Amino acid sequence: MSADIGLIGLAVMGENLILNMDSHGFTVACFNRTTSKVDEFLAGRAKGTKIIGTKTPADLCATLKVPRKVMIMVRAGDAVDATIKSLLPHLEKGDIIIDGGNSNYEDTNRRMAQLSEQGFRFFGAGVSGGEEGALKGPSIMPGGSTDAWEHVKPIFQAISAKVEDGSPCCDYVGEAGSGHFVKMVHNGIEYGDMQLISEAYLLMSNYLGMDNEAIADTFDEWNKGDLDSYLIEITRDIFRKKEEETGSYMVDLIQDKAGQKGTGKWTVMNGLELGSGVTLIAEAVFARCISSQKDERVSTSKILAGPKVEAFTGDKAAFLNDLRDAVFAAKMVSYAQGYTLLREAANTFKWKLNYGGIALMWRGGCIIRSKFLGKIKEAFDKNPALTNLLLDDFFKEKITTAQPGWRRVTATSLLNGFAVPALTTALCYFDGIRTARSPHNLLQAQRDYFGAHTYERVDKPAGEWFHTNWTGRGAATSSSQYVV
């Protein structure tokens, strides 16, 4: 037995993680269900390394040091269960299985419970950073068996991305499926960030009439300030990329139909289940759905007319400053919503999450890495009980400063018929949470009128419920209280 860890799944993420581990001095054994891929990997990218190729789960497990550590990098769902099943006959109690794919945290909860009963230890580790991150240093979000962390920690923290002071973008997240839940929220925020940037592009191109080089220059400038982030950086590069054969800009050749793999949808669904308003992420998911209806959009555009967009004649630099502020303000809302969802999950599932530590894990290696994640860490280090990120002094000042430009951009967009759902829903969330008296007293009256659902009164103690016979024809009977 000579390998420090085994890894199953030789797609691009699996291969790159193996090479990353090897480059940090760890001996890795690999296996793939299609065994020819093992041979190709060893003869190709892994040639000249210490990487060990195996042809069966039994062979893989036989090469590993005790306690055995096996990381699974296969498609989420049944494939993970099938892989675990193939491993169990060749493992011993105390061995550690790690699911590094984009699994649903509920599956991770189930797998951990089942494996714990059999004496095995389990981790659900979210890995972010794409193929480059996997090779050079990803963000890793591991949650699961507490007593196994000391065995996994040296490998994961060695291969993960590092921030300026050398801190690894990897730490123990919490119990059960918390690691995959945190990765899910990361991906949901990623959906929101990408949608916000796309909406900025829409206004730059279709309202301001900017060409691709000017748009690239603008994103380059934004990347030097508060919006400094990986996604802004790659957006700048995307607008400058040309096809060699034709000289055409690549972005203009790409069909405007967005795909998705489900983690954004999961974030929204869990927001609904836990009663946490992740409205910006929801709009980002729905925007992708609408984008995929290309044929319908094209035919509808010939029938339904919006306002005529007049050529922009104002101060372009001033509008771009407003647009930058709008994107930054909405981005703050997106992260605030994501962290509120994490807190609701922690309260519901009794997880002990380190919110500042999560921000540190996201500061490098991952897709949403950005400059202001350091400020999020500072906010939660200063006040671990912070209920909403926007209440922290730094974020309160920033969103207050950005607010005038944010409002001008959303108003201009709506008046000119531009769909900017993420920018506008973020503003509605901001206005909603700062509203002391909402109109939902009327909604409660409506519910009580048609369904006798009862209501609380402003002049009575909280928790006392009342029903009104609104028509004079109803009975005194009312519905019991419950929340879905």
Side-chain angles (χ1 to χ4, degrees):
M1 295 185 289
S2 59
D4 298 300
I5 188 169
L7 191 144
I8 299 176
L10 293 180
V12 64
M13 288 292 287
E15 283 193 1
N16 284 353
L17 283 171
I18 292 171
L19 292 169
N20 188 347
M21 292 175 188
D22 176 78
S23 70
H24 283 86
F26 300 103
T27 302
V28 189
C30 65
F31 169 72
N32 194 80
R33 187 179 63 173
T34 304
T35 55
S36 60
K37 289 211 67 175
V38 177
D39 297 329
E40 292 167 8
F41 181 49
L42 294 177
R45 300 181 72 199
K47 188 174 182 178
T49 68
K50 307 185 302 293
I51 297 166
I52 301 168
T54 65
K55 295 300 180 71
T56 67
D59 291 343
L60 177 79
C61 295
T63 68
L64 301 176
K65 298 174 183 176
V66 176
R68 298 171 185 85
K69 297 173 285 293
V70 184
M71 188 169 188
I72 300 170
M73 296 296 296
V74 301
R75 185 185 296 273
D78 293 343
V80 176
D81 290 316
T83 303
I84 292 172
K85 185 178 179 180
S86 73
L87 285 170
L88 294 184
H90 314 293
L91 297 176
E92 298 175 350
K93 290 185 177 181
D95 287 344
I96 303 162
I97 299 172
I98 306 155
D99 175 13
N102 270 334
S103 289
N104 189 303
Y105 79 97
E106 292 177 322
D107 286 338
T108 304
N109 286 343
R110 169 180 57 80
R111 288 167 185 145
M112 183 170 176
Q114 292 171 346
L115 291 168
S116 296
E117 288 179 0
Q118 300 174 64
F120 300 106
R121 295 181 282 186
F122 186 70
F123 269 96
V127 181
S128 178
E131 57 182 290
E132 183 178 4
L135 182 63
K136 299 180 179 179
S139 169
I140 307 176
M141 297 153 259
S145 303
T146 308
D147 60 346
W149 174 234
E150 63 181 286
H151 299 289
V152 177
K153 178 180 178 180
I155 299 175
F156 278 4
Q157 292 197 335
I159 69 169
S160 67
K162 309 296 187 297
V163 293
E164 292 83 359
D165 64 0
S167 299
C169 295
C170 171
D171 204 352
Y172 180 70
V173 171
E175 304 85 347
S178 59
H180 274 140
F181 194 96
V182 168
K183 176 55 167 39
M184 177 194 74
V185 173
H186 163 283
N187 284 23
I189 292 172
E190 176 186 312
Y191 273 56
D193 277 0
M194 294 171 74
Q195 178 64 27
L196 289 170
I197 293 169
S198 296
E199 291 175 13
Y201 158 51
L202 170 70
L203 294 173
M204 290 180 196
S205 177
N206 292 15
Y207 185 55
L208 299 183
M210 296 167 61
D211 63 24
N212 288 340
E213 290 296 334
I215 293 172
D217 290 344
T218 300
F219 281 115
D220 186 43
E221 188 63 31
W222 286 7
N223 201 47
K224 298 171 184 174
D226 287 330
L227 285 170
D228 177 358
S229 63
Y230 172 73
L231 284 170
I232 293 288
E233 178 184 317
I234 68 168
T235 300
R236 172 202 64 199
D237 297 342
I238 286 168
F239 277 103
R240 288 179 176 159
K241 181 68 174 177
K242 293 182 179 180
E243 186 179 50
E244 290 185 8
E245 296 86 344
T246 65
S248 301
Y249 285 96
M250 284 303 306
V251 70
D252 296 332
L253 301 175
I254 298 173
Q255 186 65 270
D256 59 329
K257 294 165 63 175
Q260 52 185 312
K261 291 192 174 180
T263 45
K265 180 178 71 173
W266 291 351
T267 308
V268 176
M269 291 169 65
N270 279 281
L272 291 169
E273 288 289 336
L274 297 172
S276 186
V278 287
T279 57
L280 192 151
I281 297 169
E283 289 293 353
V285 171
F286 292 137
R288 293 195 189 194
C289 295
I290 293 171
S291 80
S292 69
Q293 299 169 326
K294 174 68 175 181
D295 292 341
E296 182 178 345
R297 288 190 291 114
V298 170
S299 61
T300 302
S301 70
K302 300 172 183 176
I303 302 170
L304 300 180
K308 183 180 179 181
V309 180
E310 301 291 344
F312 183 80
T313 57
D315 186 334
K316 186 177 291 187
F319 188 87
L320 285 172
N321 286 338
D322 284 351
L323 184 56
R324 177 202 59 215
D325 288 349
V327 171
F328 185 53
K331 183 182 177 80
M332 285 187 274
V333 166
S334 180
Y335 281 75
Q337 291 182 354
Y339 268 88
T340 299
L341 177 56
L342 289 176
R343 186 172 293 281
E344 289 295 334
N347 291 337
T348 300
F349 304 125
K350 311 303 180 189
W351 293 335
K352 298 179 181 66
L353 300 183
N354 180 346
Y355 302 105
I358 291 169
L360 176 63
M361 282 185 270
W362 290 348
R363 277 188 63 194
C366 67
I367 303 303
I368 66 170
R369 62 183 182 264
S370 60
K371 178 181 178 181
F372 89 155
L373 279 160
K375 293 297 183 181
I376 295 179
K377 185 178 188 304
E378 290 176 15
F380 283 106
D381 285 350
K382 183 171 60 179
N383 181 11
L386 185 66
T387 57
N388 191 301
L389 188 62
L390 301 181
L391 300 178
D392 173 75
D393 288 342
F394 171 84
F395 290 97
K396 180 176 68 175
E397 179 198 350
K398 286 291 185 180
I399 206 163
T400 299
T401 302
Q403 190 179 155
W406 189 14
R407 293 187 185 280
R408 285 191 290 267
V409 166
T410 53
T412 298
S413 299
L414 296 176
L415 288 170
N416 283 277
F418 293 113
V420 288
L423 287 171
T424 51
T425 197
L427 184 55
C428 288
Y429 172 85
F430 174 78
D431 286 337
I433 61 166
R434 65 176 192 81
T435 299
R437 175 73 169 169
S438 80
H440 293 89
N441 52 316
L442 171 59
L443 189 148
Q444 281 297 89
Q446 291 170 331
R447 294 179 71 238
D448 191 57
Y449 188 110
F450 64 69
H453 292 299
T454 73
Y455 52 82
E456 293 174 288
R457 292 175 58 117
V458 296
D459 56 348
K460 300 292 183 181
E464 289 188 25
W465 297 90
F466 300 87
H467 167 60
T468 292
N469 186 345
W470 296 93
T471 65
R473 299 185 299 274
T477 304
S478 61
S479 297
S480 59
Q481 288 298 315
Y482 64 93
V483 177
V484 296

